[in-house]
Amino acid sequence: MTVKSLLPFIAATFICGGSVLVEARQPKPPKAVIKPTVSQPVQPQWKLYTAPDGRFTILMPGSPNRNTQYQKTYMGEITLEIFVAQPPKQQVAYVVAYNDFPYSYGQMTDPQAVLNNARDMALKTTKSNLISQRNIRSSNNHPGKEIEYINSGGKITKSRMYVAEGRLYQVMAITTKKQQKTLVKTINGYLNSFNVVLKK
C-alpha cells in the first residue's frame, strides 16, 4: 500500500473544510447602494504564530482556531492537526495542517512520492483543476511542492507542502477569484513566512 490510502483523509478533512468555511463567510449584500471596496480589504493584525509543539512558525491574521482529528489508517491511528484563521470581511481562509508518519514509514518513503500523492489527493477530493505547480524547498532545505488549483465553484487554493522529519505540512490560502486579485501579495507573504523548526 502507498501513502495514497492515508492522504484522502488529510485532503478531504481540511481542504474541503476550508472551502466550506470560506463559503460560510460570504458577506451579506448591502442594504443601501454602496460601492464595494474590494480593492481595499480590511487589514487584520498579522502576528507570528508558533505551533503548540514548537515545530513550525508562520505569520497569521490573528490567532488561528485549532482542530485535532484522529484518522485510522493501515499504519495505525494518525493525528491530524489543523489551524485555520479567517480575517473579518474577507473571503479567504489561511490554513496550516500537518500529520506525523510512523518513524519507519517516514524513513522509507520517498518525500517526492509523498508530495505527489498529496497533490493528487488534493485535486481529487476537491474536484479541482491544477493551475500551476513547482518543486520548492523550505528555508532549512526540506523538500516541498507548491501547487495552485481551482474548483468548480471558483475557489482558488494556493498550497505549499513540505516533508520534514517524518511529518507532512500543508500551508494553504483558500479564496475567491475576485478576492485573490487584491490579496496576491498578502498570500505570498503568508506562504513565505512559514518555517519548519527543527527538533533539538
Side-chain angles (χ1 to χ4, degrees):
M1 292 186 74
T2 68
V3 75
K4 279 191 177 182
S5 57
L6 166 67
L7 287 165
F9 297 113
I10 300 167
T13 47
F14 73 85
I15 298 177
C16 294
S19 301
V20 171
L21 288 167
V22 175
E23 293 279 7
R25 290 279 182 104
Q26 295 283 355
K28 291 177 183 174
K31 289 176 184 174
V33 179
I34 302 167
K35 287 188 178 181
T37 54
V38 176
S39 59
Q40 294 292 322
V42 176
Q43 291 303 318
Q45 284 289 98
W46 286 78
K47 52 190 176 186
L48 190 68
Y49 177 77
T50 302
D53 68 356
R55 296 271 302 277
F56 75 82
T57 61
I58 191 166
L59 286 172
M60 278 280 199
S63 296
N65 293 319
R66 181 183 180 185
N67 182 11
T68 303
Q69 296 184 7
Y70 303 95
Q71 305 287 358
K72 288 184 179 176
T73 74
Y74 71 97
M75 293 182 290
E77 191 170 73
I78 296 291
T79 304
L80 178 66
E81 298 286 355
I82 308 165
F83 304 85
V84 182
Q86 291 182 277
K89 300 183 182 176
Q90 289 187 26
Q91 297 169 25
V92 62
Y94 297 98
V95 184
V96 178
Y98 69 79
N99 68 281
D100 290 312
F101 297 115
Y103 179 77
S104 58
Y105 184 84
Q107 292 295 104
M108 291 187 308
T109 309
D110 173 26
Q112 282 303 326
V114 174
L115 293 166
N116 288 339
N117 288 332
R119 172 202 61 207
D120 294 346
M121 289 315 306
L123 296 174
K124 184 178 178 181
T125 56
T126 59
K127 297 182 175 142
S128 296
N129 292 317
L130 187 67
I131 298 170
S132 65
Q133 66 175 325
R134 66 188 177 105
N135 291 329
I136 55 175
R137 290 258 166 194
S138 70
S139 56
N140 38 27
N141 212 34
H142 288 103
K145 188 177 286 290
E146 179 186 279
I147 60 173
E148 192 168 4
Y149 52 92
I150 184 166
N151 71 9
S152 58
K155 292 287 184 296
I156 296 175
T157 300
K158 191 165 186 179
S159 171
R160 287 184 184 172
M161 304 174 287
Y162 302 96
V163 176
E165 298 182 327
R167 178 177 284 185
L168 173 66
Y169 293 95
Q170 299 194 49
V171 187
M172 295 175 294
I174 305 165
T175 187
T176 60
K177 268 187 185 176
K178 190 174 184 181
Q179 186 78 83
Q180 188 204 34
K181 290 173 185 174
T182 66
L183 291 175
V184 171
K185 285 184 180 176
T186 303
I187 288 170
N188 285 334
Y190 161 74
L191 294 171
N192 289 337
S193 74
F194 179 79
N195 279 302
V196 176
V197 179
L198 301 177
K199 289 181 195 171
K200 291 181 180 176

